[in-house]
Amino acid sequence: TVRFVDPKKHYQAHKKEYDAALEDVLLRGDLILRKDLEKFEKRFAAFVGTKYAIGVNSGFDALHLSLKAAGIGTQDEVITVAHTFVATIAAIVHTRANPILIDVGKDFNMDVEKLKAAITKKTKAIIPVHLNGRICDMEAIGQIAREHNLIVVEDAAQALGAAYTGKRAGAFGLTGCFSLYPFKILGAFGDGGMVTTNSKKMREMLRMLRDHGQDRAKGAVMLYGFNARLDNVQAAILNVKFNYYPSWIKRRREIAKLYYKKLRHIRNLALPHFEGKEYFDVYQNYVIRAERRDALKSYLTRKGIETLISWQKPVHHQKGLNLQHFRLPETVRLCREVLSLPLNTELTDEEIADVCAAIQNFYDTHKS
Ligand SMILES: *Cc1c(COP(=O)(O)O)cnc(C)c1O
């Protein structure tokens, strides 16, 4: 079988280092808001290219607390896309603001033309989602935001290390929001998240919001907060993983190139390689658009190849969410066509070749 992700194999490959880091932090008894977290935050901010980074409990918390800290609330409108993980939209709804969903373009990211049309007097913020490890058109989005005096909160949960004209995801907006969920490229052994910002005021707010509203230095409770800290044991693990991060991005880009080389002549597919040499993509996911997608997926499953569909059903068609009034044809079309191929740093070139051969074989033998 070719695994979509392989956490066990990953742990075995780095076991000595992870075990040593765990033993070290546990023997020190450093569990909450300790030096491993501070160190990780510093390294994270330096990597993204912002002054500050604030560790939180999840990507959802990063988004939710960013909006809270920026003062988003009742009556406000926040524009984002429907072609995202539901957490992006949930973060808006939990501030009591209204999510305004727009469609995406060929690169799966926010369609800037649709953005202009969606702005009203109530619009307060935009959340561009850098999907699959590719940055949105931040030049255009930044310009629109400045013209209309809107806050930009980046959903960079899938884009740590992705860049546009050399500037990294999370360094464009008022804040950048990252997920350290186990199956993100940089994943903890549990949940985790991070906010990046250049604003000292946002940093202070976020540090209080994640910690029950406390200002620990003052010994005071300043506001009603949440419990949304990134715990120190996870930070100790993440400090080990972060050493490898550049090499993991390199490998992911290699795998993406390999897929491109072996799949590009199959006319039933559209591959995720888009125009613009100023973009540096990290391939959180390798998402193809495929004719007869569901049959292809079943065929690959029978061949022992794990794939994933993100997302089978557009989020605005989920009945429980009250978003059915949006009309987003490109988002709907994508949900019928997308298929994520295995992409993890444990994969070998041979396994990639097997995946490609199986896809080729499907289209050779299943002529429509
Ligand atoms: C993973 C993800 C999130 C949520 O992150 P969690 O850590 O799971 O809360 C938000 N947005 C996008 C685009 C994601 O991929």
Side-chain angles (χ1 to χ4, degrees):
T1 43
V2 181
R3 304 292 309 271
F4 193 75
V5 289
D6 204 339
K8 191 172 143 187
K9 191 172 170 192
H10 176 87
Y11 174 65
Q12 281 163 343
H14 299 275
K15 186 175 185 309
K16 266 201 188 125
E17 270 185 284
Y18 290 143
D19 290 357
L22 276 171
E23 185 173 277
D24 173 55
V25 71
L26 292 175
L27 285 174
R28 278 188 275 121
D30 281 347
L31 302 179
I32 298 285
L33 298 178
R34 302 305 281 266
K35 71 175 189 195
D36 305 85
L37 174 61
E38 273 167 40
K39 179 179 168 187
F40 182 56
E41 288 174 334
K42 283 210 178 83
R43 295 176 71 190
F44 200 100
F47 179 82
V48 168
T50 54
K51 283 191 196 147
Y52 313 110
I54 303 93
V56 292
N57 195 47
S58 67
F60 166 78
D61 287 324
L63 291 157
H64 181 225
L65 299 190
S66 286
L67 295 173
K68 281 280 195 191
I72 304 297
T74 316
Q75 306 286 328
D76 295 338
E77 290 180 352
V78 178
I79 303 173
T80 192
V81 290
H83 196 63
T84 182
F85 184 51
V86 63
T88 318
I89 301 159
I92 300 169
V93 171
H94 285 300
T95 68
R96 298 174 182 268
N98 280 328
I100 305 298
L101 305 183
I102 61 174
D103 223 338
V104 290
K106 296 287 169 236
D107 61 356
F108 308 91
N109 281 338
M110 180 175 274
D111 182 336
V112 176
E113 291 305 315
K114 303 278 163 44
L115 172 60
K116 286 182 203 156
I119 294 171
T120 71
K121 282 204 180 73
K122 291 182 174 175
T123 309
K124 284 283 159 59
I126 310 167
I127 307 184
V129 181
H130 309 313
L131 208 66
N132 302 325
R134 180 181 177 85
I135 293 196
C136 296
D137 182 351
M138 290 312 291
E139 217 157 293
I141 292 170
Q143 172 126 25
I144 293 167
R146 279 189 299 278
E147 275 167 23
H148 297 267
N149 199 18
L150 304 175
I151 291 161
V152 175
V153 169
E154 292 172 72
D155 184 338
Q158 300 195 0
L160 179 60
Y164 176 72
T165 59
K167 191 167 168 175
R168 285 189 166 142
F172 291 88
L174 177 62
T175 68
C177 302
F178 295 87
S179 168
L180 304 166
Y181 174 75
F183 303 118
K184 300 294 157 82
I185 308 179
L186 184 68
F189 289 166
D191 280 306
M194 188 69 79
V195 185
T196 52
T197 187
N198 285 314
S199 159
K200 193 164 181 204
K201 203 172 139 214
M202 287 296 284
R203 174 184 188 254
E204 301 313 319
M205 277 299 282
L206 287 160
R207 284 168 61 96
M208 292 188 286
L209 283 170
R210 75 173 174 184
D211 191 24
H212 300 290
Q214 301 177 95
D215 182 333
R216 290 197 182 217
K218 290 197 179 103
V221 180
M222 311 295 284
L223 45 83
Y224 286 108
F226 300 84
N227 183 351
R229 300 170 299 234
L230 174 60
D231 77 59
N232 196 72
V233 177
Q234 295 297 348
I237 293 293
L238 289 160
N239 274 322
V240 175
K241 290 198 170 197
F242 212 34
N243 298 332
Y244 290 96
Y245 199 67
S247 67
W248 289 343
I249 294 176
K250 193 161 163 254
R251 177 62 183 151
R252 295 182 90 89
R253 286 170 56 85
E254 257 170 40
I255 293 173
K257 221 181 218 171
L258 215 54
Y259 272 134
Y260 179 71
K261 224 173 92 187
K262 291 179 185 291
L263 296 176
R264 64 179 192 177
H265 26 258
I266 303 180
R267 299 211 336 262
N268 318 70
L269 303 177
L271 303 180
H273 301 266
F274 310 107
E275 277 171 43
K277 58 180 183 329
E278 54 287 286
Y279 287 90
F280 181 89
D281 301 349
V282 294
Y283 295 97
Q284 161 68 53
N285 307 299
Y286 193 85
V287 184
I288 62 172
R289 297 176 77 156
E291 282 173 25
R292 283 167 286 143
R293 190 266 319 266
D294 293 334
L296 172 63
K297 181 172 171 55
S298 308
Y299 178 83
L300 294 175
T301 304
R302 287 198 300 279
K303 298 280 169 196
I305 295 163
E306 295 180 348
T307 57
L308 191 81
I309 296 173
S310 301
W311 294 267
Q312 190 97 49
K313 188 176 185 160
V315 73
H316 64 294
H317 290 183
Q318 299 284 353
K319 292 224 167 55
L321 303 181
N322 290 321
L323 301 167
Q324 281 130 299
H325 50 289
F326 292 105
R327 291 285 167 272
L328 308 165
E330 186 64 19
T331 299
V332 171
R333 199 171 310 135
L334 273 179
C335 291
R336 280 199 301 267
E337 296 179 1
V338 291
L339 187 68
S340 303
L341 302 183
L343 204 180
N344 60 69
T345 45
E346 284 67 48
L347 288 176
T348 63
D349 288 4
E350 293 69 40
E351 286 175 309
I352 303 297
D354 289 347
V355 175
C356 296
I359 295 171
Q360 178 79 63
N361 201 46
F362 171 80
Y363 286 112
D364 286 348
T365 54
H366 296 69
K367 297 255 159 41
S368 56

